[in-house]
Amino acid sequence: MNSTQQLTISVPITEANRNKAKQFAIEQSNSEKAKQVYYNTLAVLVTNNYLQMLDVQTSLQQSHSWNAVARVSTNIADLNLPGKGHLECRPILKGDDNCYFPQDIWNNRMGYLVVEFDESCTQGTLLGFLP
């Protein structure tokens, strides 16, 4: 019998997380950019929540994605891990086969993590990590 299992980790998305993502999204100039910022912010918050459960130190405030100018000017979803570097947290919607990694984030990252959202954005699933 051949069987393959993929280990994934699901993290609940709180109302406070969705509200923070909405707050950042409404700062944007158009609906496409607002949608991008919304999902990027949720990906960062899901990753932050998971790492905090593991007692890994994070700093949202020192993440580029928490800078209003950076959110407007780039497609960024990083989470700062003090003393280690920035982890890029890329969002993907359930059912999508591809995850977009913008060229301007290909450098200066300790790694890339893909976070999948369910249709109602009440749960994020950590799908995989690439150093």
Side-chain angles (χ1 to χ4, degrees):
M1 181 168 125
N2 287 334
S3 174
T4 59
Q5 292 182 337
Q6 182 178 4
L7 177 63
T8 60
I9 299 164
S10 295
V11 177
I13 300 173
T14 66
E15 185 69 27
N17 292 156
R18 286 189 298 280
N19 288 339
K20 177 57 83 173
K22 287 176 190 173
Q23 176 191 341
F24 286 173
I26 62 172
E27 298 169 352
Q28 307 312 307
S29 61
N30 65 63
S31 61
E32 190 63 31
K33 182 66 176 176
K35 183 176 165 183
Q36 175 193 94
V37 167
Y38 180 80
Y39 288 121
N40 285 353
T41 303
L42 283 182
V44 171
L45 289 169
V46 165
T47 304
N48 184 66
N49 292 346
Y50 175 68
L51 292 176
Q52 286 189 339
M53 284 189 284
L54 296 178
D55 206 26
V56 173
Q57 185 181 6
T58 63
S59 175
L60 288 170
Q61 302 307 323
Q62 292 185 3
S63 303
H64 304 299
S65 59
W66 245 242
N67 179 301
V69 173
R71 284 193 303 273
V72 168
S73 60
T74 60
N75 181 352
I76 194 164
D78 74 311
L79 176 61
N80 179 269
L81 297 139
K84 295 182 174 109
H86 291 259
L87 175 65
E88 190 70 23
C89 313
R90 300 309 302 178
I92 188 171
L93 299 179
K94 191 163 190 76
D96 287 350
D97 293 329
N98 298 304
C99 183
Y100 178 64
F101 293 84
Q103 188 172 1
D104 56 342
I105 59 127
W106 289 0
N107 297 312
N108 303 318
R109 295 293 186 264
M110 61 177 286
Y112 306 88
L113 181 69
V114 177
V115 181
E116 180 185 68
F117 300 115
D118 64 350
E119 293 82 12
S120 61
C121 287
T122 58
Q123 182 169 288
T125 303
L126 308 179
L127 293 182
F129 172 82
L130 180 65

